[in-house]
Amino acid sequence: MEVANKHVTLKTHIEGAPKESDFELKTSPLALSLDPGSGEMIVKNLYVSIDPHQLNQMKSCSLLQKTSTGFDGIALGEEIEAYGVAKVVASDNVDFEKGDVVMGVVTWAEYSKIRRNGMIRKIDPLGFPLSYHLGILGYSGLTAYAGFFEICKPKRGEKVFVSTAAGSVGNLVGQYAKLHGCYVVGCAGSKRKVQLLKEKLGFDEAFNYKEETDLNSTLKRYFPDGIDIYFDNVGAEMQEAAVANMNTFGRVAVSGVISEYADPGKRAAPNMLQVIFKRIKIHGFLAADHVGLFQDFISTTSHHLRNGELCPLEDISDSLDSIPFAFTGLFRGDNIGKKIVKIA
Amino acid sequence: MEVANKHVTLKTHIEGAPKESDFELKTSPLALSLDPGSGEMIVKNLYVSIDPHQLNQMKSCSLLQKTSTGFDGIALGEEIEAYGVAKVVASDNVDFEKGDVVMGVVTWAEYSKIRRNGMIRKIDPLGFPLSYHLGILGYSGLTAYAGFFEICKPKRGEKVFVSTAAGSVGNLVGQYAKLHGCYVVGCAGSKRKVQLLKEKLGFDEAFNYKEETDLNSTLKRYFPDGIDIYFDNVGAEMQEAAVANMNTFGRVAVSGVISEYADPGKRAAPNMLQVIFKRIKIHGFLAADHVGLFQDFISTTSHHLRNGELCPLEDISDSLDSIPFAFTGLFRGDNIGKKIVKIA
């Protein structure tokens, strides 16, 4: 049996902010049968994740030099890898069978072929919507959980600043920090997001960075007693202002630098003299290094979810065709919470 | 009894690189008697330390805003604090008596008055020259020891890069790293220093940064397998190049940023995307937080010194009058190793 598999590909390598015209929808025939012994699987994608860091794989420099982005670059016309929740439709892998619901690295496509050693695992929905396994119970959630608890090592009462606080990771960091007894301020790019952070997610304060002219004094205003933890999703001048307002032994967890992805000329240049005398730690991390925390993360987070103490923030679009618009929207600030596209 | 106490003061606040004319030698009468109950001491300085970070206290912004440098600013005409080795000549402090040899915070002066809670302690010379207690057995040594072992957590065989490697701290970091079984490359600012690092201190490689036009490729040449540890004494573009050449889980210990002290426009802007995907830790520190290591540091270091496995690198000038020239020389790269002025 063969299907016509619609998928998103890259028409041109991207420099700067992505445009919808950088992408192309293609349809290729895909046989739903597998070579015995191949260890492969074919999955039908239900939801795929739309993440800002994917832009780094779409740059031409990524093809030339893996070390410039840390990820394999995507060749033009190739399928684009992404996290997804999917259903197995054919399997030559002994660990999976037809009908299994899985999550892991798929592609922006209706169907994805998963290699023998593909990063994929079965999921137990735990009674939650499947989309949660891409956000609050997935990689975004683990990034927030590991980054906040393992990298930042927060203490009750500490003062926490989160950038891109209405984004997939930031909103969860703020919520975990509140549950942990911290004072939390978030920044975001619209009035609506700021309201949501304060009214729905329980942030102590929030501000729209687009309305601020001097981030240094903005942070001084929100943190008269200084910042202990900065969870950085944005990089550049916001990181500089956070370091300038940081207390001694402050910690910066660098989870993402979205403002630098689309503008390679943008760089954070924190004052190193302050880094020294305030003994600040600036620490880049990936959730992948903290999979040992996964069970702990899932049980803590699902417990809070059931008690209504954590609010899942999802922004779901419909159909594969909407992926280019959804992806470019991340850089326009369209999304509130985890951006997901429902495929089937 | 009263003495004419010669001391160095600041004639003008310094912006940019320091000039000898920024300083002034003054003589004031000092009574060698103390008010009973004051808890004070008067010490006669034998050696004083000349350190680049002192420049940060000499800027006018330091007076306005302690948080901009982390240190109290120095008012014009005031005595200038510095580490020193001294002999007690009068004491109202029960813990010290006349004739004790001490080390700690004194001033650039012939005699210093030490307050009740002054940072000062008696020293056991351990059979070494007294000047060692400002360098290899003093604060510089502890900075190298704590920074390398506690902050960088080195493993045998790791690749270590040290900037300002012929400076007071850098030369010791390189020597500790060699004793620990690491591959060590240092950079310095002259042919003579480079030779000394390789021939006398046992660095695997060393280079003169002034002869290099592209630090990124320079480091690629010396570290074909990447850098695991960067001990940063200089900041700015060298830090950026080190981060660009760093391996995953690399550590940057930021001990000093001499190139940024004299030029506030200079800033390190390491690529944060690389900081994330290589999970790099950039960590500012002060030796003062690691005094718990002091006994361990002293016993390890004096043991290596006695076995001829560590080479003390001192650069000693004579007389108080030479302090302005010695201090400004730090920023011209005059000194090789720990810069000390012998007062008496």
Side-chain angles (χ1 to χ4, degrees), chain B residues 302-329:
Chain B
S302 54
H303 172 81
H304 287 311
L305 268 171
R306 288 201 185 90
N307 290 354
E309 295 157 348
L310 272 178
C311 168
L313 208 59
E314 297 183 308
D315 188 330
I316 304 184
S317 313
D318 246 320
S319 100
L320 192 86
D321 306 28
S322 70
I323 288 179
F325 182 76
F327 181 70
T328 54

Side-chain angles (χ1 to χ4, degrees), chain A residues 67 267 269 277 279 282 284 289, chain B residues 67 267 269 277 279 282 289:
Chain A
T67 52
R267 285 280 186 93
F277 79 78
R279 291 82 122 193
I282 300 175
D289 297 325
Chain B
T67 52
R267 284 278 188 95
F277 78 78
R279 292 82 122 192
I282 300 175
D289 297 325

Side-chain angles (χ1 to χ4, degrees), chain B residues 35-93:
Chain B
D35 293 338
S38 67
E40 293 176 335
M41 286 197 287
I42 291 169
V43 301
K44 184 172 165 57
N45 294 314
L46 307 176
Y47 295 95
V48 294
S49 180
I50 312 291
D51 293 303
H53 67 75
Q54 293 178 280
L55 180 62
N56 298 309
Q57 297 175 264
M58 299 174 184
K59 299 173 181 173
S60 55
C61 63
S62 303
L63 276 182
L64 300 171
Q65 214 191 347
K66 188 174 171 180
T67 52
S68 70
T69 66
F71 300 98
D72 288 318
I74 298 164
L76 301 184
E78 211 179 69
E79 290 198 19
I80 295 170
E81 288 191 339
Y83 286 100
V85 171
K87 193 169 241 172
V88 177
V89 294
S91 174
D92 186 62
N93 183 322

Side-chain angles (χ1 to χ4, degrees), chain B residues 28 42 92 101 104 109 182 251 255 328:
Chain B
S28 323
I42 291 169
D92 186 62
V101 177
C182 296
R251 290 136 273 160
S255 173
T328 54

Side-chain angles (χ1 to χ4, degrees), chain A residues 26-333:
Chain A
K26 281 193 178 164
T27 303
S28 324
L30 177 73
L32 295 188
S33 58
L34 295 161
D35 292 339
S38 66
E40 293 176 336
M41 288 197 286
I42 290 169
V43 301
K44 183 171 165 56
N45 295 314
L46 307 176
Y47 295 95
V48 295
S49 178
I50 312 290
D51 292 305
H53 68 75
Q54 293 178 280
L55 179 62
N56 297 310
Q57 297 175 264
M58 298 174 183
K59 299 172 181 174
S60 56
C61 63
S62 302
L63 276 182
L64 301 169
Q65 215 189 346
K66 187 174 172 181
T67 52
S68 69
T69 65
F71 299 98
D72 288 318
I74 299 164
L76 302 184
E78 210 179 71
E79 290 197 20
I80 294 170
E81 289 191 339
Y83 287 100
V85 170
K87 195 169 240 175
V88 176
V89 293
S91 174
D92 187 63
N93 184 323
V94 289
D95 297 326
F96 297 88
E97 58 188 44
K98 195 173 164 179
D100 282 348
V101 177
V102 295
M103 92 71 79
V105 178
V106 298
T107 52
W108 281 348
E110 289 176 318
Y111 294 86
S112 303
K113 189 176 256 188
I114 311 293
R115 268 174 287 230
R116 185 191 295 275
N117 297 315
M119 278 175 60
I120 211 105
R121 59 180 179 75
K122 269 181 261 190
I123 51 172
D124 172 359
L126 300 164
F128 296 112
L130 285 177
S131 58
Y132 282 21
H133 297 272
L134 287 182
I136 194 164
L137 295 173
Y139 198 79
S140 301
L142 181 62
T143 303
Y145 189 85
F148 183 63
F149 291 108
E150 282 290 294
I151 305 293
C152 299
K153 301 210 187 326
K155 290 188 272 292
R156 185 170 299 279
E158 282 197 314
K159 280 130 201 111
V160 176
F161 175 49
V162 189
S163 55
T164 322
S168 59
V169 174
N171 87 84
L172 294 172
V173 171
Q175 294 190 74
Y176 283 131
K178 280 310 300 172
L179 286 171
H180 197 66
C182 296
Y183 169 79
V184 183
V185 178
C187 72
S190 76
K191 203 174 165 174
R192 198 177 141 213
K193 290 177 184 175
V194 165
Q195 257 176 349
L196 179 128
L197 294 175
K198 291 199 285 189
E199 289 164 20
K200 196 167 163 194
L201 302 189
F203 281 56
D204 294 287
E205 287 289 349
F207 64 88
N208 179 352
Y209 69 89
K210 290 179 181 164
E211 287 173 358
E212 302 294 330
T213 50
D214 176 0
L215 295 174
N216 206 340
S217 10
T218 304
L219 291 182
K220 226 177 270 320
R221 208 163 68 232
Y222 286 103
F223 293 95
D225 300 319
I227 298 170
D228 298 303
I229 289 173
Y230 172 43
F231 196 100
D232 190 2
N233 291 305
V234 67
E237 57 271 38
M238 194 66 88
Q239 191 192 91
E240 296 172 17
V243 164
N245 281 281
M246 203 146 237
N247 292 327
T248 49
F249 302 107
R251 291 135 272 161
V252 178
V254 193
S255 173
V257 286
I258 190 170
S259 78
E260 302 185 22
Y261 295 161
D263 183 351
K266 252 194 174 173
R267 285 280 186 93
N271 185 329
M272 280 295 150
L273 186 52
Q274 298 205 354
V275 168
I276 297 171
F277 79 78
K278 298 198 285 197
R279 291 82 122 193
I280 290 171
K281 208 184 284 184
I282 300 175
H283 199 167
F285 76 99
L286 294 177
D289 297 325
H290 302 273
V291 285
L293 284 180
F294 199 78
Q295 280 318 314
D296 179 38
F297 151 67
I298 288 289
S299 75
T300 305
T301 306
S302 54
H303 172 82
H304 286 311
L305 268 171
R306 287 201 186 91
N307 290 353
E309 295 157 348
L310 272 178
C311 167
L313 209 59
E314 296 183 308
D315 187 332
I316 304 185
S317 313
D318 246 320
S319 101
L320 192 85
D321 306 28
S322 71
I323 288 181
F325 182 76
F327 181 70
T328 53
L330 295 174
F331 298 88
R332 291 185 302 263

Side-chain angles (χ1 to χ4, degrees), chain B residues 11-289:
Chain B
K11 207 158 91 186
T12 175
H13 282 115
I14 304 175
E15 313 304 329
K19 302 179 298 297
E20 283 179 74
S21 58
D22 297 330
F23 299 94
E24 196 168 17
L25 275 106
K26 281 194 179 164
T27 303
S28 323
L30 178 72
L32 295 188
S33 58
L34 295 161
D35 293 338
S38 67
E40 293 176 335
M41 286 197 287
I42 291 169
V43 301
K44 184 172 165 57
N45 294 314
L46 307 176
Y47 295 95
V48 294
S49 180
I50 312 291
D51 293 303
H53 67 75
Q54 293 178 280
L55 180 62
N56 298 309
Q57 297 175 264
M58 299 174 184
K59 299 173 181 173
S60 55
C61 63
S62 303
L63 276 182
L64 300 171
Q65 214 191 347
K66 188 174 171 180
T67 52
S68 70
T69 66
F71 300 98
D72 288 318
I74 298 164
L76 301 184
E78 211 179 69
E79 290 198 19
I80 295 170
E81 288 191 339
Y83 286 100
V85 171
K87 193 169 241 172
V88 177
V89 294
S91 174
D92 186 62
N93 183 322
V94 291
D95 297 327
F96 297 89
E97 57 187 45
K98 195 173 161 176
D100 281 348
V101 177
V102 295
M103 92 71 78
V105 178
V106 297
T107 52
W108 281 349
E110 290 175 318
Y111 294 86
S112 303
K113 189 177 256 188
I114 312 293
R115 268 174 288 228
R116 185 191 295 274
N117 297 315
M119 279 176 58
I120 210 104
R121 58 179 181 76
K122 271 182 259 191
I123 51 173
D124 172 358
L126 300 164
F128 296 113
L130 285 178
S131 58
Y132 282 22
H133 297 271
L134 287 183
I136 194 163
L137 294 173
Y139 198 79
S140 301
L142 181 62
T143 303
Y145 189 85
F148 184 61
F149 292 107
E150 283 289 295
I151 304 293
C152 300
K153 303 212 186 324
K155 290 188 273 292
R156 185 169 299 278
E158 283 197 313
K159 281 130 201 112
V160 176
F161 176 49
V162 189
S163 55
T164 322
S168 59
V169 174
N171 88 84
L172 294 171
V173 171
Q175 293 190 75
Y176 283 131
K178 280 311 298 171
L179 286 170
H180 198 67
C182 296
Y183 170 79
V184 183
V185 179
C187 73
S190 77
K191 203 172 164 176
R192 197 178 143 214
K193 289 178 183 173
V194 166
Q195 256 177 348
L196 178 130
L197 293 176
K198 291 200 285 189
E199 289 163 19
K200 197 168 162 194
L201 303 189
F203 281 57
D204 293 287
E205 288 289 348
F207 65 89
N208 179 352
Y209 69 89
K210 290 180 182 164
E211 286 172 358
E212 303 294 330
T213 49
D214 175 1
L215 294 174
N216 205 342
S217 11
T218 304
L219 291 182
K220 228 177 266 324
R221 208 162 70 234
Y222 286 103
F223 292 95
D225 300 319
I227 298 169
D228 298 303
I229 289 172
Y230 172 44
F231 197 100
D232 191 2
N233 292 304
V234 68
E237 58 270 37
M238 193 66 88
Q239 191 192 92
E240 295 171 16
V243 164
N245 281 281
M246 204 147 238
N247 292 327
T248 48
F249 302 107
R251 290 136 273 160
V252 178
V254 194
S255 173
V257 286
I258 190 170
S259 78
E260 303 184 22
Y261 296 161
D263 183 351
K266 253 194 173 174
R267 284 278 188 95
N271 185 329
M272 281 294 150
L273 186 52
Q274 298 205 355
V275 168
I276 297 171
F277 78 78
K278 298 197 284 196
R279 292 82 122 192
I280 290 171
K281 207 184 285 185
I282 300 175
H283 198 166
F285 76 100
L286 295 177
D289 297 325

